[in-house]
Amino acid sequence: MSPLLKFAALLLVPTWLAGCSETPPSHDHEEHGAEEAKEERGPHRGRMLRHGNFAVEITIFEDGAEPEFHVYAYRDDKPVRPQDVQLSVELTRLGGKIDRFAFSPQDDFLRGRGAVEEPHSFDVKVMAAEAGRTHKWSYASYEGRTTIAADAARAGGVRSERAGPASIAELIDLSGRIEITPEGKADVRARLPGQIMSMNGELGQTVRRGQTLLRVESSHSLQTYVVTAPISGIIVEKNANIGDMTGDRALFVIADPAKLHAEFFVYPRDAERVRVGQKVALRSLSGAARLTGAVEAILPTADLASQTLLAHVHLPESAADQFRPGMGVEGAFAVAETQAPLAVRTKAIQRFRDFDVVYAKVGNSYEVRMLELGRRTPGWTEVLGGLEPGTEYVTDGAFLIRADIDKSGASHDH
C-alpha cells in the first residue's frame, strides 16, 4: 500500500469542541455544559454566547486594520450599553501560549485592547460582569488545525524539524553544458609515420590504459611497432582503418565518462560576481538529475559573438551516473551568502487563505503559522515574523496536512 493510502486509512478526524457557558446562579459558579446543536450568529455575524436573558456577541474586526475583538452585549435581545459591562477574554493557543484581552467601551460595543494574532485558532474563555452577575463561557474556535496519530503521520511521509538560523545564499541562474575535462580525453596518434597493419579498437569500445590498439609498420625502418591507449575510457572517435597511412591525425579519441565538469556561460552583467570556489546547484533541463559542485576555474577570454566567459564547475565521478557529456544543464550560483536568524525549508511553505504558511507540530496536532517572509532560495527561506524560533514544523508531507485540514472544514471565525 502506498504511503498516501496508508495515511488516508489511518487519519483521525479532528475533534471539535462545542461551546458552553458558565454562570453563577445565586453567585455560585456552576458549569453549564449543554452542547449547542448549531452555533448561533448574532446581528453582526459574530458568535452568540447566552445565559439566561443575557448574551454577548463575539466578533473579530479586521477591515483595514489589525484584527481586534468587538463585543456587543444584549439583555432580552436588546442592546446593553457597553459602559454597563465589564469583559475579559482569554485565548489558549496550541502549545500552551495564553493571550489575555481587556476591553473598554467604544460607541455601541466593547473594544479589545490589542491585536488578535493569526492564526485565529484557540480555546476561548469569556468572562462578563453586568448588573451584579458574572457570566463565564468557554468554547473552541479552531482554524488550520488538525490532529493526526503518529503512526498515520509516519505512514504518510510526514517529517518535521525545528526552525532556526540558516545560511541564505543570493543566487544567479546560468545555463551551460556537461563536458569531459581535458584530463579525461586523449588523442591516440602514431609515434612514427607508417602503414596501419592491424587495429584492435572499435568505436564505443571500453579500453584500459596500456592496451594495444594498433600495429604500425614504420615507413623508415619497415619494423612494426604497437600503439597503446594513453588512458582508460571509451573510444569516442575512430579516424582510420587497416591499410591507411598514419599521418599526423588522431587515429582514435578516448574519453573517460567519469571525468566531467560543467561549463557555464557567464554574461558580462554577472562576470564581476561569479568567483572561483562558489557553490553551484546543478540540475538537468528536465530537473530529474541534481547535484552540487563548486566553481574551479573561470576562463579569462570572452566569446567574440556572445561576449560570455566560461566558468568551469567541478563534478565528482559519481556525476556520471546522472549526467552525460553534451547534456544541457542549469546552475544556481551562490554569489553571496548571509546568515538568517530564522529560516524554514522552502519546500515546507504552503498556501493557506491568502498567507504563506508552515504547519507547526505540537504532539500529534498540526496548525498553520502565517509567515512574513524575506529572502528566498530553493533550499531556505528567511522568516521575518509569524514563527517562534525553535518551533517544530512540517518539512515533508505538508500537502497531506493541508488536505486533512481542508477536509475538516476549519473556518476563519469572525
Side-chain angles (χ1 to χ4, degrees):
M1 182 181 292
S2 70
L4 183 57
L5 291 177
K6 291 180 181 177
F7 182 84
L10 295 170
L11 281 178
L12 297 180
V13 178
T15 300
W16 292 85
L17 302 181
C20 66
S21 65
E22 183 183 75
T23 187
S26 304
H27 300 282
D28 293 328
H29 292 259
E30 180 179 321
E31 183 77 16
H32 183 75
E35 292 188 358
E36 297 174 323
K38 183 178 180 181
E39 179 185 308
E40 181 186 357
R41 291 286 171 174
H44 302 90
R45 301 303 304 154
R47 180 190 291 259
M48 291 294 292
L49 304 176
R50 294 183 177 274
H51 187 252
N53 67 342
F54 181 76
V56 291
E57 180 184 1
I58 308 287
T59 71
I60 297 179
F61 179 83
E62 54 182 324
D63 290 346
E66 290 289 325
E68 61 184 23
F69 281 116
H70 288 187
V71 179
Y72 301 83
Y74 305 91
R75 188 182 296 113
D76 295 323
D77 290 326
K78 295 180 180 180
V80 174
R81 291 196 324 149
Q83 294 86 347
D84 295 339
V85 179
Q86 289 76 49
L87 187 76
S88 65
V89 171
E90 180 180 288
L91 309 178
T92 302
R93 296 180 177 273
L94 183 66
K97 179 185 175 184
I98 297 176
D99 298 333
R100 294 181 174 88
F101 296 85
F103 289 77
S104 56
Q106 179 172 318
D107 300 328
D108 62 341
F109 62 88
L110 289 151
R111 180 182 182 184
R113 300 173 191 165
V116 184
E117 297 178 358
E118 295 279 6
H120 296 167
S121 181
F122 22 63
D123 293 300
V124 185
K125 291 183 179 180
V126 180
M127 185 173 71
E130 55 82 35
R133 298 181 298 175
T134 300
H135 308 269
K136 294 181 180 180
W137 298 270
S138 62
Y139 61 91
S141 178
Y142 298 158
E143 73 161 341
R145 184 190 295 192
T146 190
T147 299
I148 301 171
D151 53 354
R154 283 192 297 270
V158 176
R159 302 290 181 269
S160 62
E161 63 182 52
R162 296 196 178 275
S167 293
I168 304 290
E170 182 182 352
L171 304 177
I172 291 178
D173 290 325
L174 299 176
S175 298
R177 61 174 177 259
I178 301 296
E179 298 289 357
I180 294 175
T181 65
E183 300 80 10
K185 202 169 185 179
D187 293 341
V188 178
R189 301 176 186 271
R191 299 190 304 276
L192 301 170
Q195 186 177 28
I196 298 172
M197 306 304 294
S198 66
M199 301 186 73
N200 299 323
E202 298 295 337
L203 193 64
Q205 178 182 340
T206 299
V207 297
R208 65 183 184 279
R209 181 182 178 183
Q211 179 177 333
T212 298
L213 299 179
L214 305 101
R215 294 184 181 276
V216 179
E217 182 182 84
S218 171
S219 299
H220 298 295
S221 65
L222 300 181
Q223 293 183 342
T224 301
Y225 66 92
V226 298
V227 178
T228 60
I231 63 171
S232 298
I234 297 173
I235 297 176
V236 295
E237 290 185 31
K238 179 183 177 184
N239 301 315
N241 290 300
I242 296 174
D244 290 350
M245 299 301 293
T246 57
D248 294 328
R249 69 186 186 279
L251 306 175
F252 292 107
V253 176
I254 300 174
D256 184 346
K259 296 187 182 299
L260 300 175
H261 67 189
E263 296 181 353
F264 286 93
F265 312 106
V266 183
Y267 289 92
R269 65 176 181 271
D270 299 322
E272 296 300 321
R273 308 189 68 192
V274 176
R275 295 284 185 270
V276 172
Q278 289 173 345
K279 294 180 181 179
V280 182
L282 289 88
R283 58 189 180 276
S284 62
L285 298 183
S286 67
R290 295 174 180 266
L291 57 79
T292 300
V295 179
E296 61 180 350
I298 301 174
L299 301 189
T301 55
D303 181 82
L304 289 176
S306 65
Q307 291 298 294
T308 57
L309 300 176
L310 276 183
H312 287 190
V313 175
H314 173 74
L315 302 181
E317 290 194 0
S318 59
D321 297 334
Q322 304 181 74
F323 296 95
R324 296 289 183 270
M327 284 179 59
V329 290
E330 296 174 334
F333 284 64
V335 297
E337 193 165 348
T338 57
Q339 190 77 2
L342 182 62
V344 295
R345 296 191 183 274
T346 301
K347 66 181 180 179
I349 298 173
Q350 302 286 310
R351 290 293 292 177
F352 182 83
R353 298 198 345 250
D354 296 327
F355 297 95
D356 289 313
V357 304
V358 293
Y359 291 99
K361 179 179 184 295
V362 179
N364 289 339
S365 294
Y366 302 83
E367 187 178 81
V368 294
R369 292 292 180 267
M370 286 73 166
L371 305 181
E372 180 184 352
L373 301 179
R375 294 163 292 174
R376 184 190 292 250
T377 70
W380 294 95
T381 297
E382 182 181 23
V383 176
L384 303 178
L387 189 70
E388 293 292 328
T391 299
E392 188 174 359
Y393 71 101
V394 175
T395 57
D396 297 283
F399 70 97
L400 297 175
I401 304 297
R402 177 180 177 179
D404 197 53
I405 288 174
D406 290 345
K407 180 183 71 175
S408 72
S411 63
H412 192 55
D413 186 12
H414 287 182

